[in-house]
Amino acid sequence: QVQLVESGGALVQAGGSLRLSCVASGSIFSRATMAWYRQAPGKERESVAVISSVGSTNYADSVKGRFSISRDNAKNTVYLQMNSLKPEDTAVYYCKLVFLREYWGQGTQVTVSS
């Protein structure tokens, strides 16, 4: 069974930066595709960034050039570096692991004040 634990969410002013972390239990992390999603109040959950097992990345248009996803297989951890934050980035951010099936974390709140 895989468990994902996100951390790093906070209240930050517009223009600021945050780094989210997601630690996975188990032994499949290095073979898994990892992703960050977010869900704002009243909106559907949306994909923010994805990183494959070999390090290929993909981003939502709304975060390109501002967010960066990375992974450390030795630490079973995926990161989301978020720069130039905007109020519209406010959401609960979720980590997802995909390997034969999907696993989700509980989420971490990011609030960007104007």
Side-chain angles (χ1 to χ4, degrees), residues 2 9-10 85 102:
V2 174
L85 283 161
E102 297 181 352

Side-chain angles (χ1 to χ4, degrees), residues 1-6 21-29 32 34 75-78 95-98 101-107:
Q1 185 70 11
V2 174
Q3 291 186 328
L4 302 173
V5 180
E6 302 101 331
S21 300
C22 171
V23 180
S25 65
S27 60
I28 63 172
F29 180 85
M34 300 299 300
K75 296 182 178 180
N76 276 17
T77 302
V78 63
C95 173
K96 183 176 81 170
L97 182 151
V98 182
R101 54 158 286 188
E102 297 181 352
Y103 301 86
W104 290 89
Q106 293 298 310

Side-chain angles (χ1 to χ4, degrees), residues 2 8-9 14 20 26 28 32 34 37 46-47 50 57 69 76 82-83 86 94 96 99 101 103-104 109 112:
V2 174
L20 306 183
I28 63 172
M34 300 299 300
Y37 282 68
E46 62 175 357
S47 176
V50 181
T57 59
I69 189 171
N76 276 17
M82 305 186 295
N83 300 326
K86 304 176 181 180
Y94 298 91
K96 183 176 81 170
F99 184 76
R101 54 158 286 188
Y103 301 86
W104 290 89
Q109 176 70 47
V112 184

Side-chain angles (χ1 to χ4, degrees), residues 9-67:
L11 170 63
V12 63
Q13 288 189 334
S17 297
L18 283 175
R19 188 176 80 156
L20 306 183
S21 300
C22 171
V23 180
S25 65
S27 60
I28 63 172
F29 180 85
S30 64
R31 293 172 286 170
T33 291
M34 300 299 300
W36 285 98
Y37 282 68
R38 67 186 180 187
Q39 187 166 20
K43 295 187 177 182
E44 293 188 355
R45 193 173 296 189
E46 62 175 357
S47 176
V48 174
V50 181
I51 185 165
S52 73
S53 59
V54 295
S56 299
T57 59
N58 195 25
Y59 298 91
D61 287 343
S62 59
V63 306
K64 280 181 181 176
R66 299 189 298 122
F67 290 11

